[in-house]
Amino acid sequence: MKKILVADDKLEVVELVAATLEGEGYQIITASDGMEALEKIGKEKPDLVLLDVIMPKMTGLEVLAKAKKDPQTKDTPIIMLTAKGQQLDKDKGIALGATGYIIKPFSPSALSKRIEEILAGVG
Amino acid sequence: MDERLEKKMLDLEKANKALKQSEQKYRELVDNADCAVIVIEPTGYLSFVNPKFCEMMGYTMEEVKKLHFSKFLHPEDLAMVTENFKKKLSGQQTPKSHKIRALTKPGDTIYVDYDSSVIKRKGRIVGIQAVIGDITETKKAEEEVRESEEKYRMLFEGANDVILYVNKYGKIIDINKRVEDIFGYRRDEVVGKSFVELGVLRSKNIPRIVKLFRELIGGKGVISILELEVKNKNGKMVPIEASTRVIKRNGKIVGTMNILRDISKRKKAEEEVKAKSQFLESLIEQSPLPTFVIDSAGIVVIVNKAFLKVYNVPKKEMVLGKNALTEPENVRQGVVKYIKEALSGKIVETPEIEFISPYENEKTVTKSRLFPIFDTTNRLTNVVVMHEDITERKKMGEKERQYFSDLAFLSKTAMELVEFTSNKDIHSYVGEQIRQLFPQSVVIINSFNKTTDLFRVRALLGVGKLTTRFLKILGRDPVGMTLPINDQARKGLSKGELAKVPGGLYELTLNQIPESVCNVLEKLLGIDDVYAISFIWKGELCGSAAILMRKGTEPKNPKLIETFVRQASVTLQRLQTEDQIKEQNERLKELDRMKSEFLSTAAHELRTPLTSILGFSEILVKKKLDEKKQTRFLETINKEAGDLADIINDLLDVSGIESGKGFKMKKALIELKEVILENVDLFKSQTDKHTFKMNVPPDLSKIEADKDRIGQVMENILSNALKFSPQGGEITVSVEETDDGVKIIVTDKGMGISKKDLPHVFERFYRGDNASSGAIGGTGLGLAIVKYIVESHAGRVLAQSKPGRGSTFSFTLPLGSTEKKREGRKKE
């Protein structure tokens, strides 16, 4: 069973992602700030990470940069969740090695499809 | 012997003896005679000479006897003497004596008196005897007399003057030929006549001349000289100088000798000189240059009216005849040394001399030229002292110089003022310029802020070496001090004119520095008077300059400083405006930045609830969920939709505030306590990390307010308290009721607000560092809305914070709102 980490300080978002992927055959783990997210990326070795950009303690971009630097986790696909939808954040994310990004608000089915593709190695 | 014979013999002897004695006598006589005695034989040889002859002719007795008489004669007289000699020998009659010339042995010619007679023996002429006297000396004297007479005659005739002799009766007995040249009369026309008879004298002069002549002849005086005019033959009057002296013969006055000199040339020259000097005198008199002339002794001989006028000398006599060297106040104090110099023969040009007339207290400035005048013998006769009164010109010059220097000052400063782009150094610059105008003064420049009504000391100049002591006495640096304006200062500075500050430094400091300190400072700096001038532009006060005059100095040329200050005011105002615009610009930029940040934040804030709403609703539509989940998702959707509505309401509120329309308060009497508790309860339910401590008086009065809006205020403040204390902690809500109104205070123990952010927390769109980093959500509108609502209720908001320790937000709702409630309560 593929393990997916959802990192967002908004409980509603975490719950939404969890509800979206429920019954799709994934194990969902969560983190509510950047620090926790980085910790869980290292420990839990998720197959995919959904990472919010704006989070307390450590921003999503910082978490991304650190995860990509760590040889243990550098190959873990990371999808950035951004509500800002700003080109700068997107570019930064891609430059730092994000696999992709999803703009809030997002459609649960679109998210589910995207995750499937990435895990299948298509994305 | 015969007695007769014997007697005869005896008689003969007796006769012989007598003869011998007689001959002896004669011989002695001849030998010792003073004249030469010779006997010439008929042959012409000398048979006898006495010693005197030898002495006279330079020969010895032996030489003489061998010589013929012609040998002793001058060749020119030889023929005459020889002829007479022959005539004498032949017995003819010839003159007995001759004056002839003889030649001596050395060859000299001597004059002799030759007196000869024949020697007869027995009736026959046997020789000639002659007595010769040396008359050379007599002859020489005669010659000299003749020569002298000739010379005299030459002098007499050749004299330039008419010389005439008059006998004691006044008749001309001799006159030289000059009479023809000078008077046109021939000599014979005047000899034998008197002057009166000739009719050459002016009749009015005759008695005087006759009297003088009679006095001379009568022995009163021996000489007289007079000038008179004599008519010449053509009837023209000739000026003459007559010099008359008496002639005495044997001690008796016999007449006069007169020399008449034609002085027409001299007279003419004298007249010319007189005319020339008159010309010069009138030239000097009429000259606009104050001038006086002294003689070689320093006595003033001429002084002109310009001099009297310029030096305010009331009377010419106060200067004329006075000694310029010893009575200098009559002429000039300053010029005496130059007079001395000029008297030594130099031409002197003096520097400018300031002079105060002793007669009137008026200052005169002159430049003088002194020059000596010499006569024909190169003797210094006078010194001319010519002044040039340059008082007016100098005044004019000073005025012009002042004008140009003012102009130069103003144009230089104007250029520099225009160049100023920063407020930073302008005050020192202005102070320095003012100090250029008042170099001795201490200058203080203040700026004035009309919003706060405060002066701020910007620059202090001119304290110099006293700075340390000045600061010690004052106890602080005056630069940076603020002084609140008072009515007196406002009035005094209402015009842009330099005005004296009657109260000195104490008044100048707007009574902000103790009077005793001000007095000490004034004493330290040697301050006499204090002046102030305001910087005003377009009627608005923007600063002031104070000029502290040191003792003995006066603020001159106030117009110049006023003009300069006006110029500077323009720059000060411009720089202030530029600063304000810059500041405004910065604020606008910041606002713009905040707005765009707000936009992205707002988008974020909007998207978060939207994500939930859209996401959960899609799941609800697409997935079959159990009822419990369905309910929870719907609740979430509902809550998020509520949040969304709140955000949108906030946006609308702010947009209303920003557009100036604001939003209306629906005021009514409300229970404040209720509103507070409702909100606290709401937030209590949303957190398990925080504890709430309530400090609300139980009998809190009702107030007149918009319940929803006050609720919104509480919500926003409490929401922040929670948001910015994510770790949790105590949140205290207190209400204090005073006579003025109520004060609601909310304190958290969160991260607090940085000093930098604190003053801005109530500005719309402003989000502190913590908020904008993204860790804490929010639009940055909440507190701006809080402020607006509270102020709409005539209340005040206040934020206090200690970074890391927590924040306190409080707001008041004033008496006005509670009063009505009290009244209302009474009515109940």
Side-chain angles (χ1 to χ4, degrees):
Chain A
M1 193 185 271
K2 301 275 184 184
K3 200 191 274 181
I4 295 174
L5 172 65
V6 184
D8 199 314
D9 58 327
K10 308 278 182 309
L11 263 170
E12 296 84 357
V13 178
V14 176
E15 202 176 345
L16 179 63
V17 175
T20 304
L21 301 180
E22 199 181 75
E24 308 264 337
Y26 303 116
Q27 186 197 344
I28 307 293
I29 52 171
T30 63
S32 60
D33 60 53
M35 209 89 100
E36 193 186 349
L38 188 64
E39 224 174 81
K40 287 195 170 163
I41 292 168
K43 273 188 187 165
E44 304 277 346
K45 306 242 164 15
D47 296 290
L48 187 124
V49 182
L50 288 170
L51 195 59
D52 189 22
V53 172
I54 298 162
M55 278 189 299
K57 293 182 182 174
M58 198 184 276
T59 70
L61 290 172
E62 281 172 303
V63 175
L64 171 69
K66 286 190 172 163
K68 288 293 167 191
K69 267 186 193 163
D70 185 347
Q72 299 262 312
T73 56
K74 68 176 171 59
D75 295 325
T76 310
I78 297 177
I79 295 173
M80 305 302 295
L81 288 174
T82 172
K84 282 195 172 177
Q86 281 179 350
Q87 196 60 37
L88 190 66
D89 279 350
K90 283 190 228 163
D91 293 349
K92 269 187 197 165
I94 301 299
L96 287 169
T99 310
Y101 54 88
I102 287 171
I103 296 166
K104 291 178 186 174
F106 53 84
S107 152
S109 48
L111 174 69
S112 165
K113 200 179 168 196
R114 191 78 204 274
I115 289 169
E116 248 175 68
E117 284 169 2
I118 290 167
L119 288 176
V122 184
Chain B
M1 279 216 222
D2 177 344
E3 211 180 74
R4 261 183 51 217
L5 188 70
E6 205 174 87
K7 199 184 176 236
K8 244 183 182 176
M9 280 286 285
L10 208 68
D11 284 345
L12 191 68
E13 205 169 307
K14 253 187 193 171
N16 244 350
K17 203 178 172 183
L19 190 71
K20 253 186 185 164
Q21 275 177 344
S22 164
E23 199 185 309
Q24 183 71 26
K25 241 185 200 167
Y26 279 107
R27 177 61 59 110
E28 273 175 20
L29 200 69
V30 169
D31 284 351
N32 294 316
D34 202 27
C35 47
V37 179
I38 56 169
V39 175
I40 310 165
E41 297 283 314
T43 54
Y45 288 93
L46 305 184
S47 60
F48 174 81
V49 296
N50 71 347
K52 183 68 186 177
F53 182 79
C54 294
E55 185 194 318
M56 194 187 287
M57 299 307 286
Y59 290 98
T60 61
M61 207 62 97
E62 285 72 34
E63 286 170 331
V64 169
K65 295 223 173 126
K66 288 171 193 157
L67 293 170
H68 191 265
F69 77 87
S70 60
K71 190 75 187 165
F72 303 103
L73 287 170
H74 192 275
E76 284 178 21
D77 290 345
L78 180 62
M80 186 266 288
V81 175
T82 306
E83 202 189 321
N84 278 345
F85 179 70
K86 282 180 181 164
K87 279 183 180 170
K88 268 206 161 69
L89 282 180
S90 62
Q92 288 176 48
Q93 280 294 317
T94 58
K96 195 174 174 274
S97 106
H98 297 284
K99 285 183 170 51
I100 57 167
R101 282 168 285 182
L103 273 178
T104 64
K105 191 184 173 191
D108 294 330
T109 300
I110 58 170
Y111 289 88
V112 295
D113 194 20
Y114 179 72
D115 193 349
S116 63
S117 57
V118 292
I119 304 169
K120 279 183 184 164
R121 202 161 286 167
K122 295 167 186 168
R124 210 168 44 92
I125 293 165
V126 293
I128 291 192
Q129 62 175 1
V131 176
I132 301 158
D134 185 346
I135 55 161
T136 307
E137 290 304 314
T138 317
K139 196 74 185 171
K140 257 187 197 164
E142 270 174 18
E143 198 77 0
E144 273 169 16
V145 168
R146 196 182 50 78
E147 267 175 28
S148 151
E149 209 149 285
E150 226 164 75
K151 269 185 201 161
Y152 161 75
R153 201 71 216 175
M154 266 167 65
L155 273 176
F156 179 69
E157 292 298 349
N160 265 327
D161 302 325
V162 174
I163 301 172
L164 63 133
Y165 292 90
V166 173
N167 67 12
K168 61 180 177 180
Y169 306 108
K171 303 268 196 253
I172 297 164
I173 49 176
D174 197 2
I175 193 160
N176 65 359
K177 269 170 75 184
R178 288 290 286 160
V179 72
E180 290 172 17
D181 305 330
I182 294 173
F183 298 112
Y185 289 102
R186 283 199 324 276
R187 204 193 293 229
D188 58 298
E189 284 176 311
V190 297
V191 171
K193 289 180 180 150
S194 74
F195 273 83
V196 180
E197 283 165 350
L198 282 168
V200 295
L201 298 176
R202 283 186 192 278
S203 50
K204 64 169 185 180
N205 289 333
I206 292 173
R208 183 165 66 102
I209 293 165
V210 169
K211 191 176 167 234
L212 255 173
F213 181 74
R214 284 194 178 143
E215 278 173 7
L216 282 174
I217 294 298
K220 288 180 188 164
V222 287
I223 188 161
S224 93
I225 297 169
L226 72 157
E227 279 184 17
L228 68 157
E229 282 181 325
V230 173
K231 201 189 279 176
N232 70 9
K233 205 178 176 183
N234 298 328
K236 197 181 159 200
M237 299 309 285
V238 180
I240 58 159
E241 184 190 78
S243 164
T244 303
R245 65 173 65 224
V246 292
I247 303 171
K248 284 180 181 174
R249 198 159 294 157
N250 302 325
K252 273 180 73 185
I253 294 167
V254 293
T256 61
M257 191 268 277
N258 305 275
I259 300 169
L260 306 183
R261 177 166 291 175
D262 179 1
I263 55 168
S264 47
K265 272 186 190 163
R266 198 181 83 194
K267 274 276 168 206
K268 205 177 160 197
E270 273 175 9
E271 259 155 37
E272 272 173 16
V273 167
K274 204 174 158 192
K276 216 176 254 176
S277 91
Q278 258 175 5
F279 169 75
L280 282 174
E281 242 175 86
S282 62
L283 206 66
I284 289 171
E285 179 66 12
Q286 299 304 327
S287 166
L289 301 178
T291 305
F292 66 88
V293 181
I294 55 168
D295 65 15
S296 56
I299 305 298
V300 178
V301 291
I302 299 173
V303 61
N304 72 356
K305 52 186 180 189
F307 181 91
L308 301 177
K309 189 177 166 229
V310 167
Y311 293 100
N312 295 311
V313 183
K315 280 182 185 170
K316 206 167 199 164
E317 291 68 38
M318 288 173 151
V319 177
L320 208 58
K322 298 284 162 75
N323 190 327
L325 295 167
T326 56
E327 293 183 77
E329 73 278 4
N330 277 348
V331 273
R332 293 284 313 272
Q333 295 115 324
V335 90
V336 170
K337 63 171 177 178
Y338 302 111
I339 292 178
K340 283 182 184 161
E341 216 174 303
L343 280 172
S344 76
K346 283 183 205 153
I347 295 175
V348 184
E349 302 262 6
T350 74
E352 286 175 11
I353 300 169
E354 282 190 5
F355 171 66
I356 294 169
S357 160
Y359 308 106
E360 235 172 272
N361 199 24
E362 205 170 287
K363 197 173 88 176
T364 305
V365 184
T366 59
K367 268 186 97 161
S368 309
R369 186 183 169 86
L370 294 87
F371 52 95
I373 294 177
F374 300 94
D375 67 8
T376 48
T377 64
N378 225 15
R379 202 170 51 94
L380 187 145
T381 57
N382 294 91
V383 167
V384 179
V385 182
M386 208 173 250
H387 299 310
E388 195 182 350
D389 182 4
I390 57 169
T391 317
E392 286 305 310
R393 199 175 70 195
K394 213 166 147 54
K395 270 189 210 158
M396 273 301 286
E398 266 165 28
K399 256 188 214 162
E400 276 162 20
R401 257 202 305 283
Q402 188 63 48
Y403 176 74
F404 281 113
S405 115
D406 290 359
L407 198 65
F409 175 79
L410 287 176
S411 52
K412 178 180 163 281
T413 51
M415 297 281 273
E416 286 166 352
L417 284 169
V418 166
E419 298 284 312
F420 261 92
T421 52
S422 149
N423 231 334
K424 208 176 140 227
D425 303 320
I426 183 74
H427 302 99
S428 304
Y429 170 80
V430 169
E432 276 162 19
Q433 300 313 309
I434 292 175
R435 266 194 35 89
Q436 274 197 17
L437 302 179
F438 304 106
Q440 300 294 315
S441 63
V442 174
V443 175
I444 302 167
I445 306 293
N446 301 318
S447 64
F448 179 71
N449 184 329
K450 63 169 179 166
T451 320
T452 59
D453 265 359
L454 287 174
F455 281 108
R456 184 180 288 275
V457 180
R458 296 292 192 167
L460 171 72
L461 299 105
V463 179
K465 285 177 185 168
L466 298 169
T467 305
T468 318
R469 284 169 68 193
F470 181 89
L471 294 178
K472 204 173 167 189
I473 292 164
L474 191 58
R476 58 165 296 181
D477 188 354
V479 176
M481 262 178 87
T482 54
L483 308 165
I485 194 169
N486 57 27
D487 288 346
Q488 199 179 355
R490 210 188 286 276
K491 202 179 160 202
L493 293 172
S494 62
K495 289 175 193 171
E497 283 170 8
L498 188 67
K500 197 164 167 173
V501 181
L505 194 58
Y506 179 56
E507 186 183 330
L508 189 75
T509 62
L510 299 156
N511 312 347
Q512 295 297 301
I513 293 173
E515 197 166 2
S516 55
V517 174
C518 289
N519 290 342
V520 173
L521 289 177
E522 278 183 359
K523 213 170 177 185
L524 172 76
L525 299 172
I527 298 303
D528 199 356
D529 287 329
V530 174
Y531 289 82
I533 185 165
S534 54
F535 295 100
I536 291 180
W537 184 240
K538 289 185 177 167
E540 273 186 19
L541 182 66
C542 54
S544 68
I547 301 150
L548 284 58
M549 302 302 297
R550 290 210 152 101
K551 282 195 179 75
T553 59
E554 280 294 316
K556 47 180 186 177
N557 210 350
K559 281 276 162 275
L560 179 63
I561 185 173
E562 282 164 13
T563 311
F564 167 69
V565 162
R566 188 159 290 235
Q567 276 184 177
S569 302
V570 180
T571 302
L572 279 175
Q573 187 65 31
R574 172 174 64 81
L575 292 176
Q576 269 179 23
T577 311
E578 277 174 11
D579 270 11
Q580 278 170 8
I581 289 171
K582 226 183 265 173
E583 211 174 281
Q584 219 162 23
N585 216 13
E586 283 306 310
R587 268 180 43 217
L588 284 173
K589 263 190 201 164
E590 177 63 11
L591 204 63
D592 190 55
R593 191 190 62 76
M594 287 193 296
K595 263 189 175 169
S596 45
E597 197 180 293
F598 166 77
L599 276 177
S600 69
T601 314
H604 178 80
E605 293 296 317
L606 288 170
R607 276 175 189 181
T608 306
L610 267 176
T611 305
S612 297
I613 293 163
L614 289 171
F616 283 116
S617 58
E618 190 186 312
I619 290 168
L620 280 170
V621 171
K622 288 189 179 167
K623 284 195 175 174
K624 284 199 170 169
L625 301 164
D626 59 52
E627 204 170 322
K628 203 179 156 195
K629 259 189 185 164
Q630 274 184 17
T631 309
R632 213 178 69 228
F633 287 178
L634 282 169
E635 273 171 6
T636 305
I637 289 169
N638 189 309
K639 182 189 154 286
E640 294 293 312
D643 283 359
L644 198 60
D646 284 349
I647 292 168
I648 288 165
N649 282 336
D650 279 359
L651 281 174
L652 286 172
D653 286 350
V654 168
S655 135
I657 295 169
E658 211 175 344
S659 69
K661 283 179 203 155
F663 36 89
K664 277 216 166 154
M665 300 297 151
K666 293 169 212 149
K667 288 183 187 172
L669 277 176
I670 57 159
E671 287 286 354
L672 185 61
K673 198 174 175 180
E674 243 175 51
V675 180
I676 293 166
L677 290 177
E678 264 173 30
N679 275 284
V680 172
D681 286 346
L682 180 73
F683 283 97
K684 256 184 194 170
S685 68
Q686 290 178 14
T687 174
D688 46 10
K689 290 177 186 166
H690 299 88
T691 57
F692 287 84
K693 189 181 169 188
M694 302 302 292
N695 200 356
V696 184
D699 59 339
L700 195 60
S701 319
K702 282 184 176 175
I703 60 160
E704 191 184 30
D706 185 324
K707 190 184 174 189
D708 292 344
R709 290 301 184 185
I710 298 300
Q712 195 181 352
V713 168
M714 281 311 294
E715 189 188 332
N716 284 346
I717 292 175
L718 286 168
S719 151
N720 278 343
L722 261 71
K723 253 201 295 195
F724 292 99
S725 55
Q727 282 78 24
E730 194 177 67
I731 291 169
T732 311
V733 179
S734 313
V735 179
E736 290 170 8
E737 193 172 3
T738 65
D739 288 347
D740 295 333
V742 286
K743 189 175 186 183
I744 301 97
I745 308 144
V746 178
T747 305
D748 68 61
K749 293 191 170 167
M751 59 186 70
I753 304 160
S754 72
K755 253 190 177 167
K756 182 179 130 266
D757 292 333
L758 194 61
H760 304 286
V761 289
F762 292 106
E763 289 172 17
R764 57 188 185 271
F765 308 126
Y766 191 90
R767 301 188 76 222
D769 283 345
N770 290 325
S772 56
S773 71
I776 293 156
T779 53
L781 299 176
L783 287 175
I785 293 165
V786 164
K787 185 170 184 264
Y788 184 82
I789 293 168
V790 171
E791 285 176 359
S792 295
H793 283 81
R796 295 219 162 257
V797 288
L798 181 69
Q800 293 160 293
S801 183
K802 282 181 179 167
R805 305 263 302 270
S807 308
T808 298
F809 283 85
S810 58
F811 66 97
T812 62
L813 291 170
L815 192 66
S817 312
T818 57
E819 199 76 351
K820 278 185 180 169
K821 174 222 65 179
R822 280 196 181 122
E823 281 161 14
R825 193 193 266 163
K826 278 170 195 163
K827 277 173 198 165
E828 277 172 359

